Amino acid sequence: MDLTVITYAVYLLISIGLTVWVARTLSRNGRVFLSDVLHGNDKLADAVNHLLVIGFYLVNLGFVALYLREDHGVFDVRQMLEALSVKLGVVLLVLGVMHLGNFYVLNKIRRRGAVESGKIPPPAARPQAPRPWTAPPAGA
């Protein structure tokens, strides 16, 4: 069997495994956060959580599939490890960016809900920090 094909198989196994593990972890631990964002509506939190997981799978597995090809070929174990490290590193970065993007959007929704419910005053109504006193110019 060609080393390029073995590299593809190892890449797919690790990438798909990482994607499933991250999605399950985010789903399990993100449910409480979603429930808070959605003001305790657990049924809606479960539905949104499920939809986020499906979107997460689609985007990440689609990226993994598109990023499969190795243009240079793999002819020895060193090239195989190098190709795998680059590909898996990029997949991990994409997984991290997806996680941070989801968290950013949900946090914005949560803050907006807290402002609308009156728990947090809007930015314009928040007290301003005192400004330092400056002496008037001499001769004025």
Side-chain angles (χ1 to χ4, degrees):
M1 185 178 275
D2 185 11
L3 273 179
T4 303
V5 175
I6 293 171
T7 303
Y8 290 164
V10 171
Y11 165 72
L12 286 173
L13 285 172
I14 294 172
S15 295
I16 291 170
L18 282 171
T19 300
V20 169
W21 175 71
V22 170
R24 286 184 177 177
T25 301
L26 293 176
S27 173
R28 186 176 43 250
N29 296 319
R31 193 195 170 288
V32 174
F33 183 77
L34 279 171
S35 183
D36 182 51
V37 167
L38 300 170
H39 309 294
N41 188 341
D42 290 338
K43 196 170 183 176
L44 182 59
D46 288 338
V48 169
N49 197 18
H50 184 71
L51 292 172
L52 284 171
V53 168
I54 296 298
F56 188 83
Y57 278 133
L58 290 173
V59 170
N60 285 300
L61 293 177
F63 175 77
V64 164
L66 287 173
Y67 200 59
L68 175 67
R69 185 168 184 203
E70 180 60 42
D71 292 332
H72 305 295
V74 177
F75 303 107
D76 59 17
V77 175
R78 183 184 67 100
Q79 288 177 336
M80 182 176 131
L81 292 174
E82 288 173 355
L84 283 172
S85 70
V86 169
K87 288 187 173 299
L88 293 173
V90 171
V91 168
L92 288 170
L93 288 172
V94 168
L95 287 169
V97 167
M98 287 290 297
H99 168 62
L100 291 175
N102 281 342
F103 190 73
Y104 177 78
V105 169
L106 291 173
N107 195 41
K108 289 292 250 186
I109 292 169
R110 181 173 162 242
R111 288 190 63 67
R112 185 182 316 146
V115 167
E116 288 173 1
S117 69
K119 291 179 184 175
I120 299 174
R126 291 185 188 141
Q128 299 293 317
R131 296 186 180 149
W133 181 80
T134 55

